[in-house]
Amino acid sequence: MAKRKGLVIAIDGPAGSGKSTISKLVAKELGLLYLDTGAMYRALTLKAMRENINLEDENALVELARKTKIELTMNEKRDEIKVFLDKQEVTYDIRTPEVTANIRYIAKVPGVRECMVKVQREIGEKDGAVLEGRDTTTVVFPDADYKFYLDADLKERAKRRFDEMTAMGMKASLEEVEKDAERRDISDKTRKVGALKKAKDAICIDTTRLTINETAEKVLREIRK
Ligand code: DC
């Protein structure tokens, strides 16, 4: 394979493991593009919902994925991404509980995943990137320069998600968020394609008792070794 222009760093892990925050920090520190692959699945889910597509109709979902343009850009401070669906900004609309609950229908369709993975590879190959998701270390870039798997206890992950939702002004109960995280773990880990699993050679970090800075430091130390 031709040598890539920039570093490709892939970071996988379950919801709430800290991978988004860490990936953004690492990308900023290394001057790389940050690619939130989950945001792409979220954006397509939102479009399917808005267009009243039957979420069980795999052919319709693949067709939708093929004709949809999803773009991610960083804001000026390079600490948040903006998400565009066919040129319209949907940064906040993709984070609602309704979208989160429906992603599993979209994420399990092989044809949809092929479309997403193709775009993700093109972006990473171009100038390098920090990619974060469920399958970036196993499917998108199994040959990434660095691969990490972040994890944390379910209770801690649910608490982080709850705090995040409350900060965004969303109403939620901690118990419901924990149940939802558990359901999402099962769906993420048991999907036939693109399932969340540890790549054999990924560096595993348990973030349950680590601060964001401590985790980012660990990741950066591995890269700078
Ligand atoms: O990272 P997140 O919570 O925003 O991801 C939302 C969902 O998208 C997640 O439950 C599973 C799916 N996803 C996926 O199937 N593959 C990826 N690479 C990233 C996310």
Side-chain angles (χ1 to χ4, degrees), residues 15 19 36-39 41-42 95 103 107 113 132-136 184 188 191 194:
K19 57 186 192 311
D36 174 0
T37 63
Y41 290 92
R42 285 178 178 278
R95 305 279 166 196
I103 296 171
R113 301 200 70 90
E132 136 296 279
R134 304 295 187 289
D135 61 347
T136 67
R184 210 129 70 89
D188 283 352
R191 229 190 337 264

Side-chain angles (χ1 to χ4, degrees), residues 82 89 122 124:
K82 288 186 183 179
E89 188 174 356
E122 280 166 7

Side-chain angles (χ1 to χ4, degrees), residues 147-178:
K147 292 187 273 187
F148 296 91
Y149 186 92
L150 303 190
D151 207 349
D153 294 349
L154 177 67
K155 275 199 181 313
E156 173 64 22
R157 292 192 283 116
K159 189 181 166 299
R160 289 174 188 171
R161 177 75 190 125
F162 174 77
D163 291 346
E164 204 177 270
M165 289 172 78
T166 315
M168 281 165 79
M170 290 183 193
K171 284 207 168 51
S173 89
L174 182 57
E175 202 188 358
E176 218 11 80
V177 174
E178 189 173 325

Side-chain angles (χ1 to χ4, degrees), residues 81-98:
I81 52 158
K82 288 186 183 179
V83 184
F84 295 87
L85 183 57
D86 300 321
K87 305 281 176 200
Q88 189 200 355
E89 188 174 356
V90 292
T91 305
Y92 298 104
D93 312 71
I94 62 167
R95 305 279 166 196
T96 63
E98 291 75 25

